[in-house]
């Protein structure tokens, strides 16, 4: 009678432990799947942030490439008064998740030949 | 007889309408003959296998200057050839019958298959037209944008090809009494003309030149704005204290250029540099 009682208790405890482990594993995997679902959104946000930082960089910090023909404009300028130069801009690599990635852009600077009034 | 003599004089001297005032020729992709045949020799500096005729203005009977200026630009709405971007040739011509000079602007499209004839050019929108109602002006504006270019008589002798700033042509014109070259001191009116329609943007400014010397144009910072200066030997004139630009929204739309908006930055390409990522 005594041993039968002990067997039932141990079986119940074992069953409870198995159930607990199953529930814990389920909870863990659902957390993981949520994280995986969020990761796409997060990488987009990180890319956006990287672009934002990159576009705040002044063009003058870039490497000056060759002078090019200016793009056509509605209010066109005479060729002698407008100069166009290309710049290659590279952002400094950020530490962290996007450590291996670097943002770059080619930008065109339109410049007028203007004299300061103080030159006189 | 006098007309014939002056015509002969004009014919003998080259370039034709600029005979009184020397100017340095500019090297462009185009070649203009005295009769008004316009050929494209090269495309952005790359020579074409054979010259391509883009316009034949000989029907006008005018004598054209071989010197010209090329401006790359676009119109806001152009049904013509389905191309928005084109090059504009700014030319001067001489009308032997009226004994007067003409300012001619011809549009050349990159994919243009036929050559323009003179009747595809329209006369400029004069002050009387501009004073008409807005709907009339808008309709004429549309028509002007479809045309192959425009022409405008000049009241006098142009001393040089017009200088272009922000879509506005600045054309110095000397007053002439007879067909001869005007004497110094010379009264010079600078006409201020819209590039796409030829109408007067603001009334002409007048300066007086003491002796023959080349004119020089300069942009200077005047406070928040840009000032357009005309320099001649030791004389300086402030033509425009606030330099303006034309706007694509409407024909009369003009805005003042603020110096703080320059230099302008146009993004051309963005890219990711991936290193060590597989």
């Amino acid at each position: 009678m005594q041993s039968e009682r002990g067997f039932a208790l141990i079986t119940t405890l074992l069953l409870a432990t198995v159930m607990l482990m199953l529930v814990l594993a389920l909870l863990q995997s659902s957390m993981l799947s949520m994280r995986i679902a969020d990761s796409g959104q997060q990488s987009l946000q990180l890319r956006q942030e990287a672009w934002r930082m990159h576009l705040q960089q002044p063009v003058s910090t870039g490497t000056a490439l060759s002078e090019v023909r200016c793009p056509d404009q509605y209010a066109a300028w005479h060729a002698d008064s407008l100069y166009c130069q290309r710049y290659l801009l590279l952002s400094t690599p950020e530490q962290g998740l996007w450590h291996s990635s670097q943002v770059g852009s080619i930008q065109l600077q339109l410049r007028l030949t203007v004299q300061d009034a103080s030159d006189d | 007889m006098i007309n014939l003599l002056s015509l002969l004089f004009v014919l003998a001297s080259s370039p034709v309408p600029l005979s009184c005032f020397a100017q340095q020729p500019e090297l462009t992709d185009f070649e203009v003959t005295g009769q008004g045949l316009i050929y494209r020799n090269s495309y952005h500096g790359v020579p074409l296998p054979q010259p391509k005729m883009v316009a034949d203005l000989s029907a006008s009977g005018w004598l054209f200057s071989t010197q010209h200026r090329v401006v790359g630009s676009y119109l806001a709405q152009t049904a013509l050839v389905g191309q928005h971007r084109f090059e504009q040739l700014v030319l001067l011509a001489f009308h032997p019958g009226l004994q007067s000079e003409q300012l001619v602007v011809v549009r050349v499209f990159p994919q243009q298959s036929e050559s323009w004839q003179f009747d595809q050019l329209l006369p400029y929108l004069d002050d009387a037209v501009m004073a008409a109602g807005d709907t009339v002006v808008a309709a004429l504006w549309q028509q002007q944008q479809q045309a192959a270019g425009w022409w405008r008589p000049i009241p006098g002798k142009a001393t040089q090809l017009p200088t272009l700033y922000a879509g506005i042509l600045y054309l110095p014109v000397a007053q002439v009494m007879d067909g001869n070259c005007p004497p110094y001191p010379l009264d010079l009116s600078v006409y201020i003309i819209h590039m796409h329609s030829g109408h007067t943007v603001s009334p002409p400014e007048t300066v007086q030149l003491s002796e023959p010397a080349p004119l020089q144009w300069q942009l200077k910072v005047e406070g928040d704005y840009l000032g357009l200066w005309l320099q001649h030997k030791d004389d300086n004139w402030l033509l425009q204290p606030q330099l303006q630009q034309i706007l694509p929204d409407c024909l009369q739309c003009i805005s003042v250029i603020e110096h703080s908006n320059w230099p302008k930055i146009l993004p051309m390409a963005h890219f990711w540099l991936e290193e060590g990522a597989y």
Side-chain angles (χ1 to χ4, degrees):
Chain A
M1 194 68 191
Q2 282 285 334
S3 63
E4 267 175 37
R5 250 191 222 164
F7 177 74
L9 184 68
I10 286 165
T11 317
T12 316
L13 277 171
L14 270 173
L15 212 68
T17 316
V18 167
M19 291 298 282
L20 188 70
M21 282 172 79
L22 271 171
V23 166
L24 275 175
L26 273 171
L27 275 173
Q28 189 71 30
S29 70
S30 70
M31 285 286 285
L32 267 175
S33 68
M34 271 173 72
R35 279 183 170 235
I36 289 164
D38 276 350
S39 69
Q41 178 81 13
Q42 204 175 9
S43 83
L44 268 180
Q45 280 174 349
L46 280 166
R47 275 186 176 242
Q48 210 173 8
E49 178 67 12
W51 280 127
R52 201 181 57 78
M53 297 287 284
H54 176 73
L55 291 175
Q56 279 176 353
Q57 258 181 281
V59 169
S60 52
T61 57
T63 319
L65 302 176
S66 60
E67 274 197 17
V68 289
R69 192 174 168 271
C70 288
D72 301 342
Q73 291 180 301
Y74 180 78
W77 292 80
H78 181 223
D80 288 350
S81 52
L82 186 67
Y83 287 92
C84 295
Q85 186 153 33
R86 284 183 303 158
Y87 282 89
L88 176 67
L89 242 80
L90 294 177
S91 62
T92 47
E94 296 258 341
Q95 296 296 319
L97 194 62
W98 288 86
H99 175 67
S100 61
S101 300
Q102 211 180 345
V103 187
S105 65
I106 294 176
Q107 310 225 7
L108 186 71
Q109 189 193 48
L110 283 78
R111 191 158 36 87
L112 287 176
T113 43
V114 177
Q115 286 200 340
D116 278 317
S118 55
D119 287 359
D120 297 327
Chain B
M1 186 61 191
I2 293 166
N3 274 1
L4 192 66
L5 271 178
S6 60
L7 175 61
L8 280 174
F9 171 75
V10 163
L11 277 171
S13 54
S14 177
V16 179
L18 300 170
S19 49
C20 294
F21 308 97
Q23 197 184 9
Q24 291 292 317
E26 290 178 34
L27 194 66
T28 68
D29 288 350
F30 297 92
E31 190 182 323
V32 181
T33 68
Q35 288 76 38
L37 305 180
I38 303 173
Y39 295 95
R40 182 193 274 281
N41 285 334
S42 53
Y43 193 80
H44 298 330
V46 182
L48 294 178
Q50 59 186 43
K52 180 186 162 195
M53 190 195 276
V54 291
D56 179 3
L57 309 180
S58 56
S60 62
W62 298 348
L63 302 166
F64 286 82
S65 65
T66 52
Q67 289 172 13
H68 55 274
R69 188 157 279 168
V70 181
V71 182
S73 65
Y74 66 84
L75 283 176
Q77 303 149 329
T78 324
L80 196 74
V81 205
Q83 275 277 353
H84 289 256
R85 288 167 197 283
F86 54 83
E87 282 166 298
Q88 281 180 306
L89 264 78
V90 184
L91 305 161
L92 289 170
F94 182 76
H95 194 307
L98 292 176
Q99 289 285 307
S100 72
E101 286 193 7
Q102 314 279 333
L103 176 65
V104 185
V105 169
V106 182
R107 296 176 186 144
V108 179
F109 292 82
Q111 306 298 329
Q112 188 180 328
S113 53
E114 50 172 334
S115 65
W116 303 131
Q117 298 299 310
F118 180 69
D119 56 12
Q120 286 170 290
L121 269 65
L122 289 179
Y124 80 112
L125 300 181
D126 62 15
D127 293 344
V129 168
M130 295 302 291
D134 283 348
T135 48
V136 176
V137 172
L140 285 169
W141 171 228
Q142 287 288 332
Q143 200 185 352
Q144 196 94 358
Q145 295 195 76
Q146 314 277 320
W150 54 267
W151 48 270
R152 171 184 176 139
I154 302 167
K157 252 184 182 352
T159 64
Q160 61 171 90
L161 284 167
T163 303
L164 183 68
Y165 288 100
I168 297 173
L169 298 167
Y170 296 86
L171 178 66
V173 175
Q175 303 294 324
V176 274
M177 292 303 136
D178 43 22
N180 298 325
C181 290
Y184 284 87
L186 180 70
D187 283 325
L188 203 67
S189 300
V190 179
Y191 284 82
I192 302 170
I193 300 167
H194 194 288
M195 183 180 73
H196 296 305
S197 73
H199 79 268
T200 305
V201 173
S202 54
E205 303 280 335
T206 306
V207 297
Q208 196 179 53
L209 309 186
S210 52
E211 54 187 301
L215 290 172
Q216 281 178 337
W217 305 81
Q218 275 184 343
L219 286 180
K220 284 184 188 172
V221 182
E222 305 280 337
D224 293 340
Y225 306 104
L226 291 169
L228 179 61
W229 288 77
L230 186 59
Q231 197 180 6
H232 176 262
K233 291 214 148 223
D234 298 331
D235 297 327
N236 276 298
W237 298 279
L238 179 58
L239 279 182
Q240 293 272 296
Q242 296 182 353
L243 194 71
Q244 293 173 318
Q245 64 181 347
I246 57 169
L247 295 177
D249 310 331
C250 75
L251 185 53
Q252 290 100 330
C253 297
I254 297 278
S255 80
V256 172
I257 298 174
E258 287 185 33
H259 178 239
S260 54
N261 294 343
W262 289 85
K264 287 187 178 176
I265 305 293
L266 286 180
M268 294 172 78
H270 291 299
F271 50 87
W272 289 88
L273 294 170
E274 301 277 354
E275 282 173 22
Y278 298 100

